[in-house]
C-alpha cells in the first residue's frame, strides 16, 4: 500500500479500494512523519489519498475560491486594521479571516486543509493573541499604572494610546477569534471520538472508520463519481 | 462608528423599510423555530441573519451589523452544518412542527405583557431617550473619546480603552470556549 | 447638501425614495423566503438562500446610500464575500453528505 501513497499519480486507481486498506495507507504514510504535518504531495492540495475516493472538486468552486479567498482575506485584514476609523475591529476581522479558511477547506477538502494548517498555527494564534492582550495590559502595571493604562506604554515617537489600542485589536483579539474559530471548525469536522482512543495522539483514523461507515459512504462515492 | 443621529427628531412611526425588515425577521424566526427538517431550519436561520444585519444597518449600528454578517453568514451556518453532517437525516412527512398549544399560549401571554410596556419605551432615535441624552455616559463618550483615545470609532474606543478590562474578559471567554470544545469532544489538538 | 438630501416631489428627498426602494427589495426577500421554507428539495433552498443573500447585499448598499454613510458599504462587502461561503457550504452538504463534510 505504501506504493499508492508515494506515487500520487496512482491515486486515481485507488477509488475502489476497500476502506480499511485506505486507513492502513494513511497509517503507513504518517508513521515516519510528525503527526500534524502533511505528507509530501504533488503540489495540489486536493490530491491526497485521505478521502475515500480521490478528491476532486467541481471546476466552478475551486477557481472561484482561488479568486475570492485572497480578496476576502485582504478585506478581513482591512476590517481589523481599519477598525479605529470605520466599523469593524479585531473580532469582526478575525471572524472573516477564519471564514476564509472555512472557504478554502470546503473547496480543497477539510482533511487537506487540516494538514496544511497545522495544529501549531491554530494554537499559536489563539494562545499568542491571549498572551499579547494580557502583556499589553500588564506592561503599564509593571510601570506603576493600572491594567491597560495605554499612555504608560513604552511606545516611542508614536501615540501610545492609539497604537496600544491598535495592538490590542490587531495582535490580541483578532488572532484569538480567528484561531479559536478555526479550531472549532476542525474540531467539529472531526467529530466526537466515542472510542476514546484518540486522546492526544492526533491520529486521523479511529473516528474516520466510524463516520464514513455504512450507506453514507456509498452515497458519497456515488455523488463524487457523477461529476 | 456611532454616527450622530440626524438633527431633526426621528419621527416615532414605523417606516416602510422598518416594517418590511421586521416582517422578514419575524417570519424567518418563526420558520426557524417551526421547521421540522433541521437542515431547513439552519438555512432559514442564515436568512434570518441577513434581515437582522439590514435592520442593524438601518438603525445605524454598523459595528453590530458587521459582527452579525461575519459571524452568522461566515461562521454559525458552517459550524451548524458540520455538526449536522455527523448526524443521520430523517425524512419528515410534514414540513412544520406541530405547535404545542399551552406553550404557545404561555408565550403569547408573555408577549402581550411585554407589549403593554411598549408605550413607556422612548421612540427609536428619540433625542429624549435616556440612553442617548445621558450626559454622563453616552454624551460623555461621544464628546471625550477622540480627545482621550485618538481613534475616530467611538465603539472601538469604548471597547478597547474605556471598557478594556471587560474586553479582556471577553477575549478570555472566547479562548476558554475553544478549550471547552476540546474537552467536550475528547481532543487535545485542534487540527 | 448632497444628492441624497435633494428634494424630488412634495418634500420627499432622494434618500426617502432610496429607503422605499430598499423596502421593496425586502418585500421581494419575503417572497423568496417562501421558497427557502417550503423547499421542497434542498437545491431549492440553496438557491433561495443565494438569492436572499444577493438581495440583502443590494438592500445594504441602498441603505448605505440612503443614510449617506459610505462606510456602511463594508457590511455589504462582507455579506457579498461570505454569502458565497454559505452557498458552497450548504450545496456541498447536500451533495456530499458524509463525504467531505
Amino acid at each position: 500500500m505504501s506504493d499508492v501513497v508515494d506515487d500520487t499519480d496512482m491515486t486515481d486507481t485507488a477509488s475502489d479500494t476497500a476502506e480499511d486498506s485506505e486507513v492502513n495507507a494513511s497509517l503507513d504514510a504518517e508513521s515516519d512523519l510528525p503527526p500534524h504535518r502533511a505528507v509530501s504531495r504533488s503540489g495540489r492540495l486536493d490530491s491526497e489519498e485521505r478521502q475515500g475516493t480521490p478528491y476532486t472538486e467541481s471546476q466552478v468552486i475551486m477557481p472561484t475560491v482561488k479568486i475570492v479567498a485572497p480578496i476576502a482575506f485582504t478585506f478581513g485584514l482591512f476590517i481589523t486594521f481599519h477598525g479605529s476609523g470605520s466599523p469593524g475591529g479585531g473580532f469582526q476581522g478575525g471572524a472573516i479571516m477564519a471564514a476564509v479558511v472555512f472557504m478554502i477547506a470546503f473547496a480543497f477538502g477539510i482533511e487537506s486543509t487540516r494538514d496544511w494548517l497545522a495544529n501549531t498555527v491554530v494554537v499559536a494564534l489563539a494562545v499568542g493573541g491571549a498572551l499579547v492582550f494580557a502583556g499589553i495590559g500588564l506592561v503599564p502595571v509593571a510601570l506603576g499604572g493600572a491594567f491597560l493604562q495605554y499612555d504608560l506604554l513604552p511606545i516611542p515617537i508614536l501615540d501610545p494610546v492609539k497604537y496600544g489600542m491598535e495592538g490590542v485589536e490587531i495582535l490580541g483579539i483578532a488572532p484569538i477569534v480567528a484561531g479559536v474559530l478555526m479550531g472549532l471548525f476542525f474540531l467539529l469536522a472531526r467529530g466526537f471520538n466515542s472510542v476514546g482512543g484518540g486522546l492526544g495522539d492526533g491520529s486521523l483514523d479511529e473516528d474516520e472508520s466510524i463516520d464514513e461507515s455504512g450507506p453514507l459512504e456509498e452515497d458519497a462515492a456515488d455523488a463524487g463519481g457523477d461529476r | 462608528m456611532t454616527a450622530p443621529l440626524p438633527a431633526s427628531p426621528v419621527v416615532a412611526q414605523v417606516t416602510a423599510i422598518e416594517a418590511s425588515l421586521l416582517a422578514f425577521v419575524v417570519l424567518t424566526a418563526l420558520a426557524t423555530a417551526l421547521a421540522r427538517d433541521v437542515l431547513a431550519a439552519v438555512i432559514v436561520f442564515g436568512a434570518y441573519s441577513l434581515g437582522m444585519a439590514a435592520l442593524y444597518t438601518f438603525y445605524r449600528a454598523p459595528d453590530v451589523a458587521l459582527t452579525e454578517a461575519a459571524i452568522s453568514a461566515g461562521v454559525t451556518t458552517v459550524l451548524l452544518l458540520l455538526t449536522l453532517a455527523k448526524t443521520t437525516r430523517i425524512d419528515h412527512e410534514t414540513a412544520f412542527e406541530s405547535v404545542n398549544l399551552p406553550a404557545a399560549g404561555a408565550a403569547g401571554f408573555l408577549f402581550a405583557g411585554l407589549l403593554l410596556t411598549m408605550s413607556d419605551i422612548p421612540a427609536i432615535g428619540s433625542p429624549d431617550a435616556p440612553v442617548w441624552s445621558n450626559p454622563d455616559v453616552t454624551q460623555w463618550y461621544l464628546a471625550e473619546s477622540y480627545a482621550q483615545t485618538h481613534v475616530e470609532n467611538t465603539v472601538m474606543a469604548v471597547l478597547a480603552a474605556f471598557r478594556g478590562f471587560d474586553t479582556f474578559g471577553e477575549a478570555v471567554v472566547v479562548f476558554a470556549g475553544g478549550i471547552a470544545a476540546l474537552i467536550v469532544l475528547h481532543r487535545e489538538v485542534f487540527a | 447638501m448632497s444628492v441624497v438630501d435633494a428634494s424630488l416631489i412634495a418634500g420627499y428627498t432622494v434618500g426617502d425614495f432610496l429607503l422605499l426602494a430598499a423596502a421593496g427589495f425586502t418585500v421581494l426577500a419575503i417572497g423568496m423566503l417562501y421558497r427557502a421554507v417550503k423547499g421542497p428539495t434542498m437545491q431549492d433552498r440553496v438557491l433561495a438562500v443565494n438569492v436572499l443573500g444577493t438581495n440583502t447585499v443590494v438592500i445594504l448598499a441602498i441603505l448605505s446610500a440612503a443614510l449617506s454613510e459610505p462606510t456602511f458599504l463594508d457590511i455589504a462587502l462582507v455579506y457579498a464575500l461570505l454569502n458565497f461561503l454559505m452557498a458552497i457550504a450548504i450545496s456541498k452538504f447536500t451533495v456530499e453528505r458524509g463525504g467531505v463534510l
Side-chain angles (χ1 to χ4, degrees):
Chain A
M1 284 314 295
S2 60
D3 290 338
V4 176
V5 173
D6 292 333
D7 188 0
T8 49
D9 289 334
M10 285 185 64
T11 49
D12 286 337
T13 64
S15 59
D16 290 327
T17 319
E19 187 184 337
D20 51 350
S21 59
E22 284 292 317
V23 171
N24 287 337
S26 52
L27 263 181
D28 289 344
E30 288 171 6
S31 57
D32 52 350
L33 280 167
H36 311 309
R37 286 315 297 175
V39 288
S40 65
R41 54 170 63 92
S42 62
R44 286 181 64 191
L45 273 177
D46 58 330
S47 67
E48 281 303 303
E49 72 289 345
R50 280 282 305 113
Q51 305 289 334
T53 56
Y55 183 68
T56 50
E57 183 45 70
S58 90
Q59 292 303 305
V60 176
I61 290 185
M62 280 208 304
T64 317
V65 166
K66 278 180 190 165
I67 295 170
V68 170
I71 298 174
F73 190 78
T74 313
F75 197 67
L77 285 176
F78 167 77
I79 294 282
T80 309
F81 278 75
H82 208 257
S84 61
S86 63
F91 191 87
Q92 293 92 332
I96 293 170
M97 286 187 274
V100 174
V101 173
F102 301 173
M103 208 184 282
I104 293 171
F106 276 120
F108 298 97
I110 291 176
E111 295 306 320
S112 314
T113 313
R114 191 200 299 280
D115 290 341
W116 168 66
L117 195 76
N119 180 57
T120 323
V121 177
V122 177
V123 173
L125 278 175
V127 177
L131 287 181
V132 165
F133 200 155
I136 290 178
L138 287 176
V139 165
V141 176
L143 297 176
F147 189 77
L148 281 175
Q149 190 175 347
Y150 293 114
D151 49 0
L152 293 183
L153 282 177
I155 300 177
I157 306 168
L158 301 170
D159 176 13
V161 175
K162 175 164 178 146
Y163 285 89
M165 286 174 61
E166 295 276 11
V168 162
E169 289 278 336
I170 296 166
L171 301 174
I173 298 172
I176 293 177
V177 173
V180 167
L181 287 180
M182 285 179 216
L184 283 180
F185 175 79
F186 288 127
L187 270 179
L188 287 177
R190 185 169 285 167
F192 181 66
N193 183 16
S194 56
V195 176
L199 263 181
D201 58 358
S203 80
L204 303 168
D205 304 315
E206 284 92 350
D207 53 336
E208 204 66 26
S209 56
I210 296 166
D211 291 335
E212 298 188 356
S213 61
L216 287 179
E217 172 70 12
E218 294 164 14
D219 291 342
D222 290 341
D226 288 338
R227 291 189 313 253
Chain B
M1 190 163 65
T2 51
L5 290 164
S8 63
V10 179
V11 192
Q13 65 188 13
V14 177
T15 58
I17 176 74
E18 279 177 288
S20 53
L21 278 175
L22 284 172
F24 180 76
V25 166
V26 168
L27 281 176
T28 45
L30 278 178
T32 307
L34 293 178
R36 190 97 171 123
D37 187 14
V38 188
L39 182 52
V42 169
I43 291 174
V44 179
F45 186 63
Y48 165 84
S49 77
L50 302 171
M52 283 311 283
L55 202 57
Y56 290 138
T57 308
F58 179 72
Y59 288 143
R60 283 125 173 130
D63 287 275
V64 189
L66 202 57
T67 312
E68 178 77 30
I71 291 296
S72 54
V75 178
T76 312
T77 311
V78 170
L79 293 186
L80 286 175
L81 283 175
L82 279 177
T83 315
L84 275 189
K86 302 293 175 197
T87 63
T88 51
R89 172 126 179 256
I90 306 160
D91 276 328
H92 303 287
E93 284 119 24
T94 53
F96 291 107
E97 298 270 1
S98 58
V99 178
N100 185 340
L101 283 180
F109 191 70
L110 187 65
F111 178 68
L114 287 174
L115 212 57
L116 286 178
T117 67
M118 280 291 289
S119 58
D120 287 337
I121 296 177
I124 290 168
S126 160
D128 302 326
V131 73
W132 168 254
S133 59
N134 190 330
D136 296 328
V137 184
T138 310
Q139 294 300 324
W140 187 87
Y141 281 138
L142 287 178
E144 294 289 324
S145 69
Y146 186 76
Q148 297 201 8
T149 64
H150 312 175
V151 296
E152 292 91 355
N153 188 349
T154 311
V155 172
M156 184 177 164
V158 173
L159 271 182
F162 297 113
R163 293 284 176 267
F165 193 66
D166 295 355
T167 308
F168 181 62
E170 285 170 29
V172 171
V173 163
V174 172
F175 185 73
I179 309 259
L182 279 176
I183 294 170
V184 167
L185 291 175
H186 289 191
R187 298 279 172 196
E188 289 187 4
V189 289
F190 278 120
Chain C
M1 184 163 134
S2 66
V3 182
V4 177
D5 298 325
S7 176
L8 281 183
I9 305 164
Y12 286 105
T13 64
V14 175
D16 290 334
F17 281 98
L18 285 175
L19 282 179
L20 204 64
F25 273 103
T26 317
V27 172
L28 289 181
I30 294 175
M32 185 51 68
L33 189 63
Y34 171 75
R35 189 49 66 197
V37 174
K38 184 72 167 41
T41 66
M42 275 305 145
Q43 283 74 23
D44 287 323
R45 295 202 171 101
V46 172
L47 274 178
V49 156
N50 223 333
V51 172
L52 279 174
T54 312
N55 213 334
T56 309
V57 171
V58 174
I59 293 170
L60 289 171
I62 292 177
L63 281 181
S64 158
L67 305 177
S68 304
E69 298 270 5
T71 52
F72 286 12
L73 281 175
D74 287 358
I75 307 159
L77 263 174
V78 168
Y79 245 120
L81 291 169
L82 295 188
N83 185 50
F84 170 68
L85 168 67
M86 199 150 74
I88 63 169
I90 298 172
S91 57
K92 286 195 69 112
F93 181 84
T94 54
V95 172
E96 300 183 34
R97 184 183 174 82
V100 66
L101 275 176

